[in-house]
Amino acid sequence: MWRKGEELSVPLAVPYLDEPPTPLHFYRDWVCPNRPCIIRNALQHWPALHKWSLPYLRATVGSTEVSVAVTPDGYADAVRGDRFVMPAELRLPLSSVLDVLEGSAQHPGVLYVQKQCSNLPNELPQLLSDLEPHVPWASEALGKMPDAVNFWLGEAAAVTSLHKDHYENLYCVVSGEKHFLLHPPSDRPFIPYELYTPATYQLTEEGTFEVVDEEAVEKAKVPGTCLLTIRVLQAHGLPSRDLVTPPDCYVTLWLPTASSHRLRTRTVRNCGSPIWNQSFHFWIHSQLKNMVELNVFDQDLLTEDDPVLSVLFDVGTLRAGELQRQSFSLSPQSEQRLEVEFWLQSRIDGAEQLISNGILVAWELSCLHVRLEEAGDQTESEGKVQLVVPGSCEGPQEASVGTGSFCFHFPTRWEQELSIHLQDAPQEQLKVPLRALPPGQLVRLVFPTSQKPLLKVELRKEEGPGELAVRLGCGPCTEEQAFLSRRKQVVARALQQALQLEGDLQEDEVPVVAVMATGGGIRAMTSLYGQLAGLRELGLLDCISYITGVSGSTWTLANLYEDPEWSQKDLAGPIELLKTQVTKSKLGVLAPSQLQRYEQELTERARLGYPACFTNLWALINEALLHDGPYDHKLSDQREALRHGQNPLPIYCALNTKEQSLSTFEFGEWCEFSPYEVGFPKYGAFIPAELFGSEFFMGRLMKQLPESRICFLEGLWTNLYAANLQDSLYWSSDPSQFWDRWAQNQASLDKEQVPILKIEDPPSMTGRIAAFFTDLLTWRPLAQVTHNFLHGLHFHKDYFQHPHFSTWKATKLDGLPNQLTPMEPHLCLLDVGYFVNTSCPPLLQPTRDVDLILSFDYNLQGAFQQLQLVSRFCQEQGIPFPPVSPSPEEEYQPRECHEFSDPHRPEAPIILHFPLVNDSFREHSAPGVRRTPEEEEAGQVNLSPSDSPYHYTKVTYSQENVDKLLGLTYYNICNNRELLLAALREAMQRRRQRRLRGPSDSSLPGRPSGSVPPE
């Protein structure tokens, strides 16, 4: 009877299909009856089948850290005695796993890269271009995109125990073998089920395995917590900065990965060789980049303390258990030296929950709730009470004496204490070590204790938020991947029609085409309208997957994406609206009624928690310049325009910089905005668009503010007012000298990397004068201020070698983690034109895999200058990009369209460059249609850098000039139809050839190296 039931459920042999089924066939014959099948020839178009080998993985992602399950015998999630034991989980470079698989290295136990929850896009985004983000026929059959896309790699000994998945699974075996033992539902009565105590393997320092009950250990804990003791011993030969007396010296210590504030020794007075012999203790984690700064100062009573010696030391060079004594001096011959002793001790129980993308690291947070109540009958006091938890997100908090509730979020592993004191009685102070508080329990205290009780203090410490609101990952988010899949269907149909193709295009044959627009104020805004209208006229607008913009071109995108179907409609309506706004008088933007409205909205933003800055006022003025009144459109609203893949994905760019001491050229980080996310490719850190401007700490959302209207984002995308004098000098001079200096800085940075030891002499009088003028030249009096969503995150010990960070590191501070953006409470964003006027960087991400870029350049001075700067930037950074080398004739008289490509680097995109030039438009009103004498004036478009009516400072155009510029840009696109079609054919051909490239198949041992479960 049982055998008949089994045969009714599933046949003894799993059937093979020789080709992928249709969605209907798959759903009807396999999904609905819950029948397994093996499908051949389903992944032949995946480049991974030809490319993924151990050498390829080592070269591509070898340095990337991944989560690795480790077991003593290969059995993960298995019953062992009376325990259900889960594997130990380590973070290892993938190259270490490959070494074990190849037999060139050994590791305790059996390794298996098997982490769930989309470890492929989250941990190995560099491999996404080698396969599809989903299986189209399966996604259509199941009516949804994959819930997760996982990468599995292991040796033959790795085995997963019998289990049931609550998903529809598609296992895509890229290389090697995977064996399944399947039981039909009719076997359920014969499979023994029991309850077991959950436990986890722990790998000891001796390389053995212990089974630890789950109640006693939390998952995702990473060993490596150490106690660092720094003992400041003495100094020799310290000079005095005073005219008469010997120096009064002390030493400060700053280790931001372990403490929020600087610690200091006592001051030894009137001594050039002081002895301190003081010890300081820090809890650190070996997976972080721990850089300690020691500074010797000469204390002054009347003036600022004078710096004597500065030391930056990499704690990662220490070995656990060894006492190391260091003598820091400027040179071997120097008598001035500082002697310090370091002692690093490992904690056996020192495992913490770390979340990292290999660049940034977040760790556990704790939350302290404090409640103050008056004790007994008290006369009302006007005094203030202050509560402080050093290093907390909230900082010091104040309240009137009486009832109040407070909350502090702080790193769990820091040795913090709560300090409460009365401002009018500073001697009355209560300090509570937070580590001593029992988690989850209420503790009651009375304060103060030296006089009549005043306040009852209730404390409760608990776990802080666990999930990150910041996405730590270097590839596109899942929403963008899903969009691109939908958009490729639209692009395929458009290409088929435009290129008169006979057969259907497979998804991996569809090239990714992007429009890149530069800035240029109203000129850029108007020109982009004309060019997009030209692309639509040619039927090529649906061939575009991305549109990127900066400065003035972002105004065009923000306007168009208010309409979810804009690219499917005639652009005549939006262009007429553009003409109305561009030609209207702008005098009313500073009318008293408008100023009053600005003040009201800025006051409300400040009340909500947005930092006040001039950029917010500029945003409202800019909105009045371009619109008839306030409009409520937000960046996240633009997702509606992407829901069905009906429009290209817009990406807006800005630069993050420092408020002082550095020019934008010395410190500028690319920040990108899309309707899905806002983030820094350099750090691999992104947040949902609607959370931009909210308050974050250690990757968690602390206070969500209402999403800003898009006008405030337009204000920072076009923020020219955060410039400093040095930036203005760059704009008004030959940029080559700045770029030469930048290239030298890059070469120096690559050579030095992160310093293991850096010792600096205090600045001389000449140096102080130079520093004063540097500060003057780099001061940003109108700096933009936004809450920093990277605040509180720290750097992974190998961040500098991470491929994504290495690609985008382009500042003087990249080797100094203590001075980079995550250490700042606020971002300072401004127009990218102060570095290079381009929106190319988002399109150069390897995971976006762009084949063809239509470069729309609106600069009046130098038709190729900005594109050449982009090419130079890419050359210095090692980013695939074709050389931009126009001939002298082309420099002197540029054409309407130029193609740049690199046949030796097929991974570099093709560039079709459209400078803003007036060439054949002078004689032609349309392609092939010569102008009549009456129409000649319409062809005279003044694009002179000196007296053009389209200068970026002009905010109002005449109707005639608007029509001329729109006509010119529309014509230049339409007149180059054949070049556009040829570039599209070339991009499609390269995409097809990419399927055939790569090394020959070679097997990876054991488990599959790629899978796409579950749908």
Side-chain angles (χ1 to χ4, degrees):
M1 200 59 190
W2 165 75
R3 177 60 60 189
K4 292 182 178 179
E6 185 184 55
E7 291 173 355
L8 286 174
S9 175
V10 65
L12 294 178
V14 177
Y16 283 80
L17 306 182
D18 291 328
E19 61 182 4
T22 65
L24 177 60
H25 181 200
F26 182 60
Y27 186 77
R28 182 190 62 202
D29 296 344
W30 307 105
V31 176
C32 285
N34 289 319
R35 299 179 63 206
C37 63
I38 300 173
I39 306 170
R40 295 188 175 108
N41 303 313
L43 311 176
Q44 297 302 313
H45 56 288
W46 281 18
L49 265 68
H50 309 285
K51 299 170 70 173
W52 284 11
S53 62
L54 294 185
Y56 175 81
L57 294 177
R58 186 182 300 279
T60 307
V61 290
S63 62
T64 302
E65 281 201 348
V66 295
S67 299
V68 183
V70 187
T71 57
D73 54 6
Y75 282 83
D77 300 338
V79 175
R80 288 291 178 265
D82 61 348
R83 295 290 191 270
F84 181 79
V85 188
M86 289 165 282
E89 192 168 280
L90 302 180
R91 296 283 298 178
L92 296 174
L94 190 64
S95 59
S96 298
V97 181
L98 300 177
D99 290 341
V100 174
L101 296 181
E102 291 178 325
S104 60
Q106 293 184 338
H107 192 282
V110 177
L111 306 184
Y112 188 12
V113 180
Q114 62 155 29
K115 189 173 180 63
Q116 307 292 316
C117 302
S118 281
N119 72 329
L120 179 58
N122 292 332
E123 293 189 337
L124 299 168
Q126 305 96 314
L127 300 178
L128 287 175
S129 61
D130 293 340
L131 42 76
E132 289 179 303
H134 71 123
V135 180
W137 47 267
S139 298
E140 185 174 346
L142 298 172
K144 63 183 300 188
M145 297 293 289
D147 292 310
V149 181
N150 298 321
F151 172 98
W152 293 345
L153 171 67
E155 49 190 303
V159 178
T160 303
S161 299
L162 180 65
H163 64 279
K164 174 184 177 181
D165 278 340
H166 298 277
Y167 294 96
E168 302 290 351
N169 287 297
L170 288 178
Y171 294 93
C172 306
V173 181
V174 175
S175 185
E177 296 180 351
K178 183 171 180 68
H179 297 271
F180 291 88
L181 178 62
L182 301 177
H183 288 269
S186 56
D187 280 6
R188 168 62 184 87
F190 307 96
I191 298 175
Y193 271 68
E194 289 188 32
L195 294 178
Y196 295 89
T197 301
T200 302
Y201 284 117
Q202 273 197 347
L203 187 61
T204 67
E205 292 185 357
E206 293 77 23
T208 61
F209 288 86
E210 295 179 352
V211 176
V212 181
D213 285 351
E214 189 71 6
E215 296 173 352
V217 62
E218 292 182 24
K219 284 194 71 176
K221 295 281 188 177
V222 181
T225 301
C226 302
L227 177 61
L228 171 66
T229 300
I230 301 179
R231 189 179 180 190
V232 182
L233 299 173
Q234 59 188 347
H236 300 276
L238 299 182
S240 175
R241 302 298 176 183
D242 301 326
L243 296 176
V244 179
T245 61
D248 306 321
C249 291
Y250 65 90
V251 180
T252 65
L253 301 89
W254 187 42
L255 182 55
T257 53
S259 176
S260 61
H261 53 287
R262 297 175 189 268
L263 306 177
R264 59 169 289 178
T265 65
R266 65 181 179 275
T267 300
V268 178
R269 302 194 177 278
N270 299 321
C271 182
S273 297
I275 298 176
W276 294 283
N277 201 24
Q278 282 184 257
S279 296
F280 301 85
H281 304 283
F282 304 91
W283 289 108
I284 66 171
H285 200 287
S286 60
Q287 292 298 305
L288 273 63
K289 193 66 178 179
N290 299 293
M291 304 287 292
V292 62
E293 294 184 21
L294 300 102
N295 290 280
V296 183
F297 288 93
D298 182 1
Q299 188 175 39
D300 288 323
L301 297 178
L302 301 178
T303 61
E304 186 176 344
D305 295 348
D306 297 312
V308 177
L309 186 68
S310 176
V311 176
L312 181 66
F313 180 72
D314 186 356
V315 177
T317 60
L318 302 175
R319 297 179 61 179
E322 291 186 5
L323 188 68
Q324 187 173 130
R325 183 164 179 161
Q326 293 278 351
S327 182
F328 301 116
S329 59
L330 289 172
S331 67
Q333 296 77 28
S334 175
E335 295 183 358
Q336 300 177 32
R337 67 181 187 273
L338 173 67
E339 296 186 7
V340 182
E341 197 173 74
F342 297 91
W343 187 23
L344 192 64
Q345 299 169 272
S346 296
R347 279 183 56 182
I348 298 177
D349 60 341
E352 297 184 47
Q353 183 177 5
L354 301 182
I355 305 173
S356 177
N357 60 357
I359 302 173
L360 296 178
V361 179
W363 58 75
E364 297 170 82
L365 284 185
S366 291
C367 180
L368 177 68
H369 297 277
V370 184
R371 181 174 175 80
L372 304 179
E373 291 184 0
E374 291 183 335
D377 297 329
Q378 301 289 333
T379 58
E380 187 172 341
S381 173
E382 296 182 356
K384 295 279 188 180
V385 63
Q386 185 180 63
L387 300 90
V388 179
V389 174
S392 67
C393 168
E394 291 76 10
Q397 301 189 56
E398 294 182 358
S400 299
V401 173
T403 301
S405 296
F406 307 87
C407 181
F408 295 91
H409 293 86
F410 58 93
T412 300
R413 67 185 177 89
W414 284 6
E415 296 274 358
Q416 301 293 48
E417 64 179 14
L418 169 67
S419 174
I420 306 176
H421 69 269
L422 300 175
Q423 290 188 341
D424 52 359
Q427 72 280 1
E428 296 290 354
Q429 193 172 50
L430 174 67
K431 292 190 175 183
V432 182
L434 300 184
R435 186 177 286 268
L437 293 179
Q441 297 184 23
L442 192 65
V443 176
R444 293 184 174 90
L445 304 169
V446 177
F447 170 74
T449 57
S450 62
Q451 58 186 32
K452 185 177 179 179
L454 178 65
L455 294 175
K456 291 180 180 178
V457 182
E458 292 185 353
L459 306 176
R460 188 177 77 255
K461 184 179 74 171
E462 59 186 28
E463 290 184 0
E467 293 296 321
L468 297 189
V470 175
R471 180 176 70 88
L472 295 181
C474 299
C477 61
T478 54
E479 293 87 352
E480 181 178 334
Q481 295 178 50
F483 157 80
L484 193 59
S485 181
R486 296 191 298 268
R487 183 62 181 174
K488 281 192 172 183
Q489 298 176 27
V490 177
V491 173
R493 291 193 295 268
L495 286 173
Q496 193 171 16
Q497 184 173 354
L499 302 180
Q500 298 297 301
L501 303 176
E502 294 183 0
D504 294 335
L505 289 175
Q506 298 296 321
E507 186 168 331
D508 65 332
E509 293 180 307
V510 179
V512 178
V513 184
V515 163
M516 186 287 298
T518 69
I522 300 294
R523 177 180 69 249
M525 176 186 181
T526 306
S527 299
L528 183 53
Y529 270 104
Q531 289 169 318
L532 293 176
L535 288 175
R536 192 178 188 284
E537 175 67 23
L538 298 179
L540 301 181
L541 190 51
D542 277 346
C543 299
I544 309 300
S545 294
Y546 293 99
I547 300 182
T548 60
V550 296
S551 194
S553 59
T554 64
W555 296 334
T556 301
L557 300 181
N559 290 344
L560 288 174
Y561 279 85
E562 287 187 53
D563 182 354
E565 305 294 334
W566 72 267
S567 68
Q568 308 304 311
K569 299 177 180 178
D570 191 339
L571 294 183
I575 287 176
E576 284 303 314
L577 183 59
L578 164 78
K579 293 179 180 179
T580 302
Q581 299 302 327
V582 169
T583 58
K584 73 178 183 181
S585 172
K586 306 300 191 298
L587 297 178
V589 299
L590 297 178
S593 60
Q594 286 282 56
L595 294 177
Q596 185 178 10
R597 182 178 70 81
Y598 302 157
E599 182 184 12
Q600 291 174 349
E601 184 156 2
L602 294 177
T603 301
E604 175 62 14
R605 282 179 66 82
R607 185 191 68 80
L608 292 173
Y610 284 98
C613 63
F614 176 81
T615 309
N616 291 335
L617 174 59
W618 157 243
L620 294 174
I621 294 174
N622 181 62
E623 180 185 47
L625 290 172
L626 302 176
H627 299 274
D628 291 329
Y631 63 114
D632 293 328
H633 193 63
K634 302 177 178 67
L635 180 59
S636 65
D637 294 339
Q638 296 181 7
R639 293 172 186 166
E640 188 62 30
L642 309 172
R643 181 182 298 273
H644 307 294
Q646 69 269 38
N647 300 296
L649 175 66
I651 303 178
Y652 310 82
C653 300
L655 276 182
N656 178 57
T657 188
K658 295 283 187 178
E659 291 189 27
Q660 195 167 353
S661 301
L662 293 171
S663 70
T664 306
F665 238 79
E666 294 170 315
F667 190 91
E669 299 175 324
W670 291 95
C671 182
E672 62 178 52
F673 297 71
S674 84
Y676 297 126
E677 286 189 321
V678 177
F680 289 93
K682 171 180 173 179
Y683 299 117
F686 302 85
I687 57 172
E690 62 270 22
L691 296 184
F692 178 73
S694 294
E695 297 181 32
F696 289 78
F697 182 66
M698 196 69 73
R700 281 81 170 185
L701 179 63
M702 295 288 105
K703 180 181 179 182
Q704 183 170 354
L705 304 182
E707 184 179 1
S708 293
R709 297 189 295 114
I710 200 169
C711 72
F712 290 100
L713 300 183
E714 292 178 275
L716 65 88
W717 297 331
T718 60
N719 179 21
L720 300 176
Y721 303 99
N724 53 39
L725 293 176
Q726 189 86 341
D727 295 334
S728 302
L729 180 63
Y730 166 60
W731 259 32
S732 61
S733 62
D734 182 5
S736 60
Q737 57 180 308
F738 288 83
W739 279 84
D740 289 341
R741 193 186 319 149
W742 173 82
Q744 293 172 3
N745 290 338
Q746 287 302 100
S748 175
L749 176 66
D750 288 334
K751 182 179 179 180
E752 293 179 5
Q753 299 196 5
V754 181
I756 295 175
L757 175 63
K758 185 177 182 180
I759 305 175
E760 293 182 339
D761 200 16
S764 61
M765 181 57 69
T766 304
R768 293 185 181 186
I769 295 174
F772 170 79
F773 282 105
T774 297
D775 289 343
L776 182 64
L777 287 171
T778 57
W779 177 48
R780 303 180 191 273
L782 301 177
Q784 191 273 341
V785 182
T786 300
H787 291 303
N788 182 10
F789 58 87
L790 303 181
H791 182 51
L793 296 169
H794 287 286
F795 284 91
H796 189 273
K797 63 183 179 67
D798 299 320
Y799 82 95
F800 198 84
Q801 286 76 36
H802 192 281
H804 277 268
F805 188 88
S806 298
T807 297
W808 296 105
K809 60 178 173 61
T811 82
K812 292 181 67 173
L813 302 182
D814 286 328
L816 304 173
N818 294 356
Q819 300 183 44
L820 287 173
T821 298
M823 299 302 298
E824 303 285 351
H826 298 104
L827 302 176
C828 180
L829 298 166
L830 77 164
D831 193 313
V832 305
Y834 288 111
F835 184 61
V836 54
N837 186 7
T838 183
S839 59
C840 246
L843 306 176
L844 303 178
Q845 303 286 344
T847 49
R848 288 200 169 110
D849 201 20
V850 175
D851 300 283
L852 170 63
I853 297 176
L854 307 184
S855 169
F856 294 165
D857 192 333
Y858 309 124
N859 290 281
L860 294 180
Q861 189 162 10
F864 305 97
Q865 183 187 77
Q866 298 302 312
L867 191 64
Q868 287 174 315
L869 295 181
V870 174
S871 179
R872 183 171 181 182
F873 173 83
C874 291
Q875 181 181 1
E876 294 289 343
Q877 302 299 115
I879 300 172
F881 198 85
V884 179
S885 304
S887 66
E889 294 77 13
E890 291 173 326
E891 290 268 15
Y892 177 74
Q893 190 170 2
R895 301 189 305 273
E896 297 160 350
C897 180
H898 299 258
E899 179 178 335
F900 301 100
S901 62
D902 189 346
H904 303 293
R905 298 193 70 181
E907 68 274 19
I910 304 166
I911 307 296
L912 211 57
H913 185 57
F914 289 83
L916 188 58
V917 297
N918 186 11
D919 188 10
S920 62
F921 182 68
R922 299 176 188 271
E923 292 83 27
H924 296 82
S925 58
V929 181
R930 296 193 66 86
R931 294 186 181 277
T932 64
E934 294 78 16
E935 296 174 329
E936 288 182 359
E937 175 57 29
Q940 304 303 311
V941 185
N942 182 0
L943 300 177
S944 168
S946 57
D947 61 349
S948 173
Y950 307 112
H951 193 269
Y952 76 91
T953 57
K954 306 288 185 182
V955 295
T956 302
Y957 291 174
S958 68
Q959 184 70 50
E960 178 186 5
N961 286 332
V962 176
D963 290 337
K964 284 183 177 181
L965 188 57
L966 285 169
L968 171 66
T969 50
Y970 174 87
Y971 171 88
N972 283 353
I973 292 294
C974 294
N975 195 46
N976 288 277
R977 176 179 179 273
E978 295 306 319
L979 283 176
L980 284 162
L981 294 178
L984 288 170
R985 287 192 187 93
E986 183 179 355
M988 190 174 63
Q989 184 63 29
R990 287 172 54 164
R991 176 69 67 159
R992 283 173 169 168
Q993 291 174 350
R994 197 175 304 180
R995 296 171 58 186
L996 307 176
R997 285 201 310 267
S1000 59
D1001 286 323
S1002 58
S1003 297
L1004 303 186
R1007 294 281 177 162
S1009 57
S1011 63
V1012 188
E1015 287 280 356

